Amino acid sequence: MKSEILYPGAFPMVRIELAAGEHLKAESGAMVASSPTIDVESKMEGGFLGALSRKLLTGEKFFFQTLRASRGPGEVLLAPTVPGEIVLLDLDGVNEYMVQKDGFLAGAEGINIESKMQSLSRGLLGGEGFFILKIGGKGMLALNSFGAIHKIELRPDQEYIVDNSHLVAWSATTSYNIEKAASGWVASFTSGEGLVCRFRGPGIVYIQSRNPGGFGSWIRQFIPVSE
Amino acid sequence: MTPFSPNALCFGEEFPAAGAPCLVQIESDGLTVTYEPAVSTSPSEHVLFTGLAVSAGGLDYDHLVLKWGEQAQARTLYLKHPDLIRAFREAAPDHLSQPFEQAAERVRQVRRRHRATWGTVAGSILAVALGLWFGADLLVEMAVSRMPVEWEQKLGEAAYKDFLSHQDVMKEGPAVKAVEEMTQRLVEQIPDNPYKFQVTVVKSDIVNAFALPGGYVVVFTGLMKKADSGEEVAGVLGHELNHVLQRHGLERIVKSMGVMAAVAIIVGDQQGLIGLMRQVGVELLTLKFDRAQETEADLTGLQLVYRAKIDPNGMITFFQKLAEKDEGRVEWLSTHPMSSARADRLKAELAALPKRTPEPFTFEWSAVQGVLGVQPVATP
């Protein structure tokens, strides 16, 4: 399996070459184009209950699509729904990433995806909801973001503050706490930051340069009100 | 060459930030860490237990963290695999087992805290749901008691006019006069009556009578034909007037609107709320009272009839008549769950009241029924 990002920037696509018999999982609706040798299957990852819990809990799609090179080698083009960068990671079987619910684009067949419940404070205040995806295993993993993806590398015990709505993915070896952005509650909210996550290394945190929720409320003012 | 299968992540100055995958093997005196050939200049290193510091780390404190070395040679190892952690626990010497147990205790604490908070949240959600379920009646009563009578009248009036517009209303005659007399005698006995009662006779074979909020009462001629005396009809009227006085209709509306509003809020459908307001009108005409409300109206109705010096036995005999099975299906039964137990309860209630001589009505019931088209039956 070979993958590359085409048109890096705001409107990228991923081109993945599959050898005969290889397959990959992708977010439902992610496929843009493919060779005629590729079959698209819809699969409930983790069985019916797993798929149902993922749908209900994380808001991820009920079905992942499986793209299988069943009739010989071929390539597929994949793209996310929102404008924003794509990052390709190579999982080694030891590293695990926590991914917020819209961040998953595609993964090789060796990738495991499960939904994981966060602690109450993180779920309530972290901005990713109570359930996130935990992705491990071995092989290629493609994540997508809203805006550009920025990688923050943390050394052991190094700390970094991230606005909670800008999170895309983070290693399982990092930990984080939710805090107020400023020392007082009022200042926290009037500064426009509200709550932030204090990450502690070691590990990697991927953040997106735009905040989907913020963008949504910005665009809402231009939508004509019906009735 | 055998494929390299790492089981842990090692962090250090010269390693990538995501951690270097490495293979950890536990031995009797320490551990051997083997790195991927490309990552480190020294392919493997042996660390003695004496040089290790133990703690718990990671997102949910579910990793075992081992640290050794200083400055540029500082290493942090993250172990996740349960088998590996178990092997470490068994091999670790005494001076490490204490910090190890502390780390394990920390993990257990975190998990317990998670369980406790989720338990509390689930518990309080359940408590609120149960509270709403069982406290609903109290809330309804509170809401109803705050609504002014004028609202009730407007609500009832709209439905009343709408209903009468498709009905054949009897405007005058002995039947109307008789009903007016009964109503007047009953209403006189209501202390501080905020309602202006309006009773209308509708030509229909349905054996029924109903009351709308605000004091609008409809009596069908079918019911008057079925009754053997004015007192029987007065009993039914007493019952219906008390549905109004106890604001039963309003209670039902608030209750069903509450459920529908809750559904609309949950579903998030504003259009539904508008439809809901229209639904109220329909609801008024299909208004059904629940059993507790019926019983309340029965008892207070009986007392009203008694105070008006109308023979309360009329009410009881009429209910009994309706309860008799050989009467066939009577309309009143469907909206007013009838049972002989209901008549019996009234009898017991009546027995508790001191005997009183009833004052008869001024009209002749057989004349009223004659107008309605009932053939006089020879009394046995």
Side-chain angles (χ1 to χ4, degrees), chain A residues 35-67:
Chain A
S35 308
T37 50
I38 308 286
D39 282 340
V40 183
E41 299 158 17
S42 170
K43 201 174 160 193
M44 293 178 287
E45 183 71 19
F48 179 76
L49 284 179
L52 190 68
S53 73
R54 195 174 53 246
K55 170 70 191 155
L56 293 179
L57 305 179
T58 64
E60 243 310 330
K61 304 270 169 39
F62 190 79
F63 293 96
F64 282 126
Q65 54 179 210
T66 303
L67 299 159

Side-chain angles (χ1 to χ4, degrees), chain A residues 163-183:
Chain A
D163 182 318
N164 52 18
S165 41
H166 285 263
L167 280 173
V168 178
W170 58 98
S171 333
T173 51
T174 61
S175 69
Y176 75 89
N177 292 320
I178 312 275
E179 313 187 331
K180 306 187 292 278
S183 55

Side-chain angles (χ1 to χ4, degrees), chain A residues 92-98 116-120 122 130 132 134 138 153-157 170-177 201-204 227, chain B residues 4-9 11-22 57-63 67 76 78 80 114 117-118 121 271 274:
Chain A
D92 46 30
V94 197
N95 255 312
E96 280 177 331
Y97 283 94
M98 304 296 162
K116 187 177 175 301
M117 190 162 82
Q118 300 217 77
S119 74
L120 188 70
R122 283 176 186 161
F130 287 105
I132 51 173
K134 180 178 177 183
K138 225 172 153 86
E153 301 188 340
L154 297 176
R155 297 273 152 209
D157 293 329
W170 58 98
S171 333
T173 51
T174 61
S175 69
Y176 75 89
N177 292 320
I204 291 181
E227 275 190 301
Chain B
F4 180 70
S5 56
N7 58 6
L9 282 174
F11 296 87
E13 275 294 284
E14 76 270 28
F15 295 150
C22 56
L59 196 61
D60 287 322
Y61 296 103
D62 52 356
H63 290 68
K67 290 186 185 191
T76 309
Y78 273 70
K80 175 89 193 276
H114 282 190
T117 35
W118 279 109
V121 168
Q271 287 291 320
I274 298 164

